[in-house]
Amino acid sequence: MTLKLYGYSVATGTRRVAVVLHEMNVPFKLIPVDLRKGEQKSPEFMRYQPFGLTPYIDDDGFILYESRAICYYIASKYSNQRISLIPSELKANALFHQAASTELTSFDEYAAEIAKEKITVPLLGGTTDEVAYERLLSTLSAKLDVYDVILSKQKYLAGDEVTLADLYHLPCGDLLYRAGTDVLETRPNVKRWWDDISSRPSWAAVKDGVKGTTN
Amino acid sequence: MAFTNLKLYGRPLSSATRRAAVILIEKKVPFEFVLVPNREHKAPEYLKKHPFGQIPLIEEPDGFRLYESRAIGRYIAEKYASQGTPLLPTELKAKAIFEQAASSELANFDFLASQAVKEVIGKKREGLTPDYDRFNEIYSELSAKLDAYEIILSKQKYIAGDEITLVDLFHIPFGSSLVTIVPDVFEKRPNVSRWWNDISSRPSWQSVKEGVHSTA
């Protein structure tokens, strides 16, 4: 049975999972969940995802939520067939988890809030809190200064091979551009790394909205 | 400089330092605790070891270094899988559920709990006045997440299944701080309460609760 991805075509988590489905060549159907209508808070949805957040997958009856957990599962399950996005050696694996944890605590936390303040709030008819935005941007900038140091010594965040930890950055990184910031452009090593990961075919396939690959 | 035991750099009452220490103790890995005094975590010497200038950090005798408390926990649980408490599942689907719980702990619990704790305990420690309106806003969001935890924990013993894993233990430091602000935060939900009492009564937490110290 084809994997079903329950999500919203332009939502961050949905795009994150779809990147990895494309990387691992896994066919999938997108089952739309309309966030604008609050479908993710319906009893039918929350029966499978108790936090009422997109996305979740149904892989032949196996239900899984949290986009990064889904990415990890797909990359693990199909790791023999395609490229390996999770290093298996003990220390390399530890450095992967260090980079993946960093993505959540040092990047996503600020980038997602910036996107919310600059894109979502005006979209819903509100006004951007410019003070909060400047504070978030300043913190993110300091973190990206460190990214630039790390990426001056190695090609990707966990070492010299691309891993899930790099790909996790794609959706929110993209939103930073849409929010009107150039933080990913102004540091040479960060720019090199960002241009590399964002030019992958898997990202091109989902960047402007996720579509299922089968009917 | 040669040393024989793993070094854990941090501060005794830091949540993230205690998070890593709990795992080291559960896995029976002796460690030397190295205090990083306030402000020294941003000094050039320390930044060479930890580019983000944060605590904790571990350093092994062979020179291997690792930061991010949860990555440290995972590495120790994996490396010492055959000793101490088993804290990581091995089968594909159980590992997926574990990753689901791990991601959820960060995004749904830690993200809110850390802000709530910082708003009250953090500000008081710095001699500032907490903004209780902001605290209540964060707490209200966190309560909704704990309602989801209540449903999850009504079907299984621990957060990633019926066996304890790293993810249960990751919750303890901020959970414990939350209880000092809102005493019945976990108590008011029967399954969450059962789970909280179970994990927070473990000897590993009891031995670092009041402060981390060397075990080697």
Side-chain angles (χ1 to χ4, degrees):
Chain A
M1 208 174 84
T2 308
L3 185 146
K4 292 186 200 145
L5 173 61
Y6 288 78
Y8 186 62
S9 67
V10 295
T12 305
T14 306
R15 292 195 298 166
R16 187 176 288 118
V17 168
V19 164
V20 178
L21 288 167
H22 278 277
E23 285 283 341
M24 306 311 286
N25 241 12
V26 177
F28 67 96
K29 286 186 207 184
L30 178 71
I31 312 292
V33 179
D34 196 338
L35 297 183
R36 295 163 305 179
K37 292 187 188 155
E39 280 178 9
Q40 77 280 22
K41 301 296 179 191
S42 71
E44 302 77 53
F45 187 91
M46 287 182 70
R47 188 176 153 207
Y48 297 106
Q49 214 292 10
F51 295 95
L53 300 165
T54 54
Y56 75 84
I57 60 164
D58 177 347
D59 186 19
D60 216 352
F62 179 59
I63 307 292
L64 196 67
Y65 58 83
E66 286 294 312
S67 65
R68 294 168 186 81
I70 298 169
C71 291
Y72 196 90
Y73 167 70
I74 299 296
S76 304
K77 185 175 177 185
Y78 297 96
S79 65
N80 296 328
Q81 295 173 24
R82 284 271 289 176
I83 66 171
S84 177
L85 293 171
I86 307 169
S88 50
E89 186 273 323
L90 179 70
K91 283 176 175 167
N93 187 266
L95 293 171
F96 159 75
H97 282 294
Q98 175 182 274
S101 188
T102 299
E103 184 265 329
L104 264 164
T105 63
S106 300
F107 181 80
D108 185 271
E109 188 171 320
Y110 307 104
E113 285 298 298
I114 286 170
K116 191 169 117 183
E117 226 25 85
K118 275 296 208 177
I119 302 172
T120 314
V121 163
L123 210 66
L124 296 174
T127 322
T128 299
D129 179 347
E130 293 292 342
V131 172
Y133 167 69
E134 287 300 330
R135 188 179 13 97
L136 289 162
L137 194 62
S138 166
T139 310
L140 180 64
S141 296
K143 298 292 186 184
L144 290 174
D145 287 341
V146 182
Y147 269 59
D148 205 61
V149 170
I150 295 168
L151 292 165
S152 70
K153 300 174 189 168
Q154 56 196 50
K155 203 169 172 203
Y156 297 100
L157 287 170
D160 287 318
E161 303 296 324
V162 73
T163 65
L164 286 181
D166 303 286
L167 304 181
Y168 288 165
H169 289 77
L170 286 164
C172 282
D174 178 53
L175 288 176
L176 286 173
Y177 280 95
R178 295 178 199 248
T181 80
D182 63 356
V183 280
L184 296 175
E185 289 290 304
T186 50
R187 295 163 182 80
N189 298 294
V190 171
K191 181 176 164 53
R192 180 207 82 231
W193 163 80
W194 176 257
D195 286 345
D196 181 320
I197 61 172
S198 60
S199 64
R200 292 177 83 86
S202 59
W203 175 242
V206 313
K207 187 181 148 114
D208 295 315
V210 177
K211 298 185 200 48
T213 56
T214 73
N215 290 320
Chain B
M1 191 172 81
F3 53 92
T4 44
N5 290 299
L6 180 151
K7 288 187 185 178
L8 173 67
Y9 289 77
R11 284 194 275 277
L13 288 168
S14 127
S15 294
T17 306
R18 291 184 294 169
R19 184 177 296 119
V22 163
I23 309 305
L24 286 163
I25 293 167
E26 286 280 347
K27 299 305 287 177
K28 303 195 192 303
V29 177
F31 63 92
E32 183 196 331
F33 178 62
V34 181
L35 176 71
V36 182
N38 213 7
R39 276 185 267 280
E40 265 193 39
H41 58 292
K42 299 294 182 190
E45 271 313 296
Y46 188 76
L47 289 174
K48 281 187 204 145
K49 298 179 196 269
H50 190 323
F52 288 96
Q54 293 169 316
I55 50 169
L57 168 79
I58 59 164
E59 216 169 47
E60 290 190 308
D62 66 358
F64 183 63
R65 284 191 198 118
L66 198 65
Y67 55 85
E68 291 291 307
S69 61
R70 294 167 182 84
I72 293 169
R74 284 172 179 262
Y75 171 64
I76 296 299
E78 190 67 60
K79 183 172 178 179
Y80 297 98
S82 58
Q83 67 184 55
T85 317
L87 292 173
L88 282 171
T90 47
E91 184 270 326
L92 175 72
K93 283 178 178 172
K95 279 166 102 159
I97 301 292
F98 170 86
E99 292 301 332
Q100 174 181 278
S103 184
S104 187
E105 183 269 326
L106 259 167
N108 291 317
F109 180 80
D110 184 275
F111 177 66
L112 294 165
S114 62
Q115 287 183 69
V117 168
K118 204 161 110 175
E119 189 57 48
V120 177
I121 298 177
K123 279 199 171 169
K124 280 185 184 173
R125 194 181 294 141
E126 288 165 36
L128 300 165
T129 318
D131 178 348
Y132 283 103
D133 284 337
R134 176 163 157 73
F135 172 80
N136 287 331
E137 225 178 86
I138 301 166
Y139 184 72
S140 159
E141 276 188 65
L142 180 62
S143 290
K145 303 294 189 183
L146 290 175
D147 289 340
Y149 269 61
E150 180 62 17
I151 295 168
I152 294 165
L153 292 165
S154 70
K155 300 174 188 168
Q156 56 197 49
K157 200 171 174 203
Y158 294 101
I159 206 71
D162 286 319
E163 304 295 325
I164 197 167
T165 63
L166 287 178
V167 184
D168 301 286
L169 304 177
F170 288 167
H171 288 81
I172 304 175
F174 280 126
S176 177
S177 295
L178 272 173
V179 169
T180 67
I181 308 170
V182 184
D184 66 351
V185 60
F186 300 123
E187 233 172 69
K188 56 170 97 171
R189 295 171 182 82
N191 294 293
V192 171
S193 179
R194 179 207 83 229
W195 165 78
W196 175 253
N197 290 335
D198 181 322
I199 61 175
S200 59
S201 62
R202 292 181 79 85
S204 57
W205 172 244
Q206 295 305 314
S207 66
V208 309
K209 193 174 158 155
E210 308 300 331
V212 179
H213 47 84
S214 296
T215 60

